[in-house]
Amino acid sequence: MNKVASAYEIAKERYAAIGVDTEAVLKALGQVKLSIHSWQGDDVHGFLFPNQELTGGIGVSGNYPGVATTPDQLSSDLSKALSLIPGQHKVQLHAIYAVTDQKKDLDELEPEDFKYWVDWAKKEGVGLDMNGTFFSHPMLKDGFTLASPDKAVRDFWIEHGKRSRKIANYFGKELGQQSVNNFWIPDGYKDNPIDKLTPRLRLIDSLDEIIKDSLPEQNTIETFEGKLFGTGVESYTVGSHEFYANYALTRQKLWTIDAGHFHPTEDVSDKFSAFLPFGKGLMLHVSRPVRWDSDHVVIMDDALIRMMRSLVRDDLLSKTNIGLDFFDATINRIAGWVIGARATQKAVLMGMLAPIDTLKAMEIDGDLTKRLAITEELKSYPFGAVWDEFCARQNVPVGTDWLADVDQYEKDVLLKR
């Protein structure tokens, strides 16, 4: 028996002694799909307007060598990252990742402009999620898109939103997996506005027009992403958390919670159980803010552990789509994907490796002493041995062994671009 297997057997016995079946946990973890974001690999440039300056609160730091500049480069990099992340997952695209030999604007895109990605996804065995691209475009006028006072601006973005839905429906139909279609818009004011209501009424009308035609939910569903703030809209964001939570509730859609867009003292994990008794479901964008929405590579910090633990303890994983959302060009971009994805999976695993029913019974009985004692002891239980076993069974490198793969790929591929 190798060291990974022998360490797992010891961990299995330790967890069994407190009522945790690690075999069942490994099976459950294998069912958790992440939605890996394409934009970590090319610094959010895409292929429609690759030389266009990033605007709308988007910015990427660093200039690490090997950035993807073509569809083949980006898909190759994604394939390498996916080979180092245990499990079967999905990939998130933005509209700007269309692959077409025609000059098209965002309001002209068709499903066939994403055939490249569907063909690739079929080979990889992954699903595809969709995001309309409501930033870095000349029709982002004075900080506004769907909530603009200019009808021509609104009409442009409404058409783009409609087309993003058709593309997401195409993904779901072709791949047999529901494609979650995320809507985030950067509309707002840098300084204090006089009228906070009218832009929100315009946004409601625009969104209602976008989603007025029904599409098969087995193929796609829309989700709406709120923000606390972004660069250039520090004083007022039209699509705030409360706005989109209420919009999702009243339209039977999903609400996107981006972990990077809450006040630093808020506990994002507390939002899930507050919304889901009423809401259809969630899209969670796992990000890591450092003092503000900085989209650092996700690590297994306290915030991530609390979020995944909350989803596990309250049995909310089936109603929550977990996606990654960060971009960092100061490090190897493939390593960024792998670090963030594996950290998220580890946090899910840590949540699963607990006698949850027993702890809940103690809580009901008022035995808070044992509840606290056990949750503290769990922090030093051999969770790492179970994670290593999961990686081994999923045929991906264990521990830091994946770094050798990334280093070799960097030498063979990235540094030759």
Side-chain angles (χ1 to χ4, degrees):
M1 185 180 291
N2 62 37
K3 291 181 179 179
V4 169
S6 59
Y8 170 69
E9 288 302 318
I10 295 170
K12 182 179 178 180
E13 290 181 15
R14 291 285 308 281
Y15 280 108
I18 58 170
V20 177
D21 181 349
T22 56
E23 289 296 315
V25 166
L26 291 174
K27 183 178 180 180
L29 183 60
Q31 301 302 310
V32 177
K33 288 183 184 235
L34 304 182
S35 191
I36 312 295
H37 58 312
S38 62
W39 47 95
Q40 161 65 11
D42 77 325
D43 302 344
V44 206
H45 290 303
F47 308 120
L48 274 187
F49 325 109
N51 299 316
Q52 198 155 274
E53 182 183 358
L54 292 175
T55 62
I58 304 292
V60 180
S61 301
N63 191 30
Y64 198 90
V67 61
T69 59
T70 68
D72 286 348
Q73 289 178 356
L74 183 57
S75 62
S76 173
D77 292 354
L78 277 163
S79 294
K80 172 53 67 173
L82 288 166
S83 74
L84 304 174
I85 300 166
Q88 285 296 114
H89 302 288
K90 301 171 82 178
V91 168
Q92 295 181 70
L93 296 173
H94 254 282
I96 51 174
Y97 290 92
V99 180
T100 173
D101 56 5
Q102 302 176 49
K103 187 173 178 59
K104 288 191 174 184
D105 210 336
L106 292 170
D107 63 340
E108 300 170 318
L109 292 175
E110 299 287 350
E112 57 261 30
D113 297 320
F114 291 82
K115 185 178 183 301
Y116 176 94
W117 288 108
V118 166
D119 290 345
W120 172 82
K122 287 177 178 178
K123 284 194 298 183
E124 287 290 331
V126 299
L128 292 175
D129 288 329
M130 181 62 183
N131 293 260
T133 303
F134 293 84
F135 57 83
S136 300
H137 193 279
M139 286 298 279
L140 174 61
K141 298 278 191 181
D142 300 319
F144 281 84
T145 61
L146 291 173
S148 172
D150 185 336
K151 185 177 184 302
V153 172
R154 294 198 306 276
D155 287 346
F156 174 88
W157 292 110
I158 287 170
E159 183 61 29
H160 174 54
K162 289 180 177 181
R163 287 172 182 263
S164 77
R165 294 184 74 222
K166 291 179 181 178
I167 293 161
N169 184 65
Y170 166 65
F171 290 164
K173 185 177 180 180
E174 288 290 320
L175 299 173
Q177 299 184 48
Q178 186 186 61
S179 178
V180 180
N181 188 11
N182 187 60
F183 284 80
W184 166 69
I185 66 166
D187 298 29
Y189 286 109
K190 183 176 180 63
D191 216 334
N192 297 320
I194 302 300
D195 184 355
K196 292 186 175 182
L197 177 60
T198 305
R200 286 176 170 149
L201 294 176
R202 288 194 295 261
L203 179 54
I204 291 171
D205 287 343
S206 294
L207 294 174
D208 283 349
E209 176 63 23
I210 289 171
I211 66 171
K212 71 177 184 180
D213 294 331
S214 63
L215 291 172
E217 235 176 61
Q218 70 265 26
N219 292 345
T220 185
I221 189 168
E222 293 75 36
T223 184
F224 298 92
E225 180 178 356
K227 297 292 184 186
L228 173 65
F229 72 95
T231 303
V233 290
E234 292 86 350
S235 296
Y236 169 73
T237 300
V238 182
S240 63
H241 297 308
E242 295 83 359
F243 177 92
Y244 279 131
N246 288 324
Y247 189 80
L249 283 170
T250 54
R251 270 62 177 178
Q252 284 293 293
K253 302 296 184 180
L254 309 185
W255 178 36
T256 299
I257 292 180
D258 186 325
H261 289 272
F262 290 84
H263 191 279
T265 61
E266 284 189 275
D267 185 350
V268 176
S269 68
D270 193 44
K271 314 293 179 188
F272 311 149
S273 60
F275 176 79
L276 284 174
F278 310 99
K280 192 177 186 72
L282 286 173
M283 178 73 193
L284 175 60
H285 277 185
V286 182
S287 183
R288 178 166 60 105
V290 176
R291 296 188 174 85
W292 73 293
D293 169 40
S294 52
D295 285 310
H296 281 59
V297 173
V298 167
I299 60 174
M300 201 175 74
D301 57 9
D302 288 343
L304 182 66
I305 291 171
R306 284 196 302 269
M307 285 190 287
M308 298 304 122
R309 188 169 59 200
S310 178
L311 293 176
V312 171
R313 287 179 175 177
D314 291 325
D315 195 22
L316 299 175
L317 283 170
S318 64
K319 296 185 72 176
T320 306
N321 302 276
I322 303 174
L324 304 182
D325 185 12
F326 54 79
F327 31 83
D328 188 346
T330 67
I331 64 173
N332 181 293
R333 294 170 183 82
I334 296 170
W337 269 318
V338 178
I339 292 167
R342 287 170 69 123
T344 303
Q345 291 176 292
K346 287 177 188 176
V348 174
L349 174 62
M350 185 173 284
M352 290 177 169
L353 288 171
I356 298 170
D357 290 340
T358 300
L359 290 168
K360 286 182 177 180
M362 290 175 181
E363 192 164 271
I364 291 294
D365 293 340
D367 195 346
L368 306 186
T369 302
K370 287 182 181 176
R371 182 191 69 176
L372 180 60
I374 292 174
T375 53
E376 281 302 297
E377 288 299 324
L378 281 170
K379 292 176 181 178
S380 59
Y381 263 57
F383 122 89
V386 183
W387 168 253
D388 288 346
E389 178 69 9
F390 180 67
C391 290
R393 292 190 188 186
Q394 295 286 332
N395 297 312
V396 302
V398 172
T400 58
D401 290 352
W402 63 267
L403 278 168
D405 285 68
V406 173
D407 286 343
Q408 192 62 49
Y409 187 82
E410 182 174 290
K411 292 174 185 174
D412 294 343
V413 179
L414 301 181
L415 294 181
K416 294 180 180 179
R417 289 178 178 167

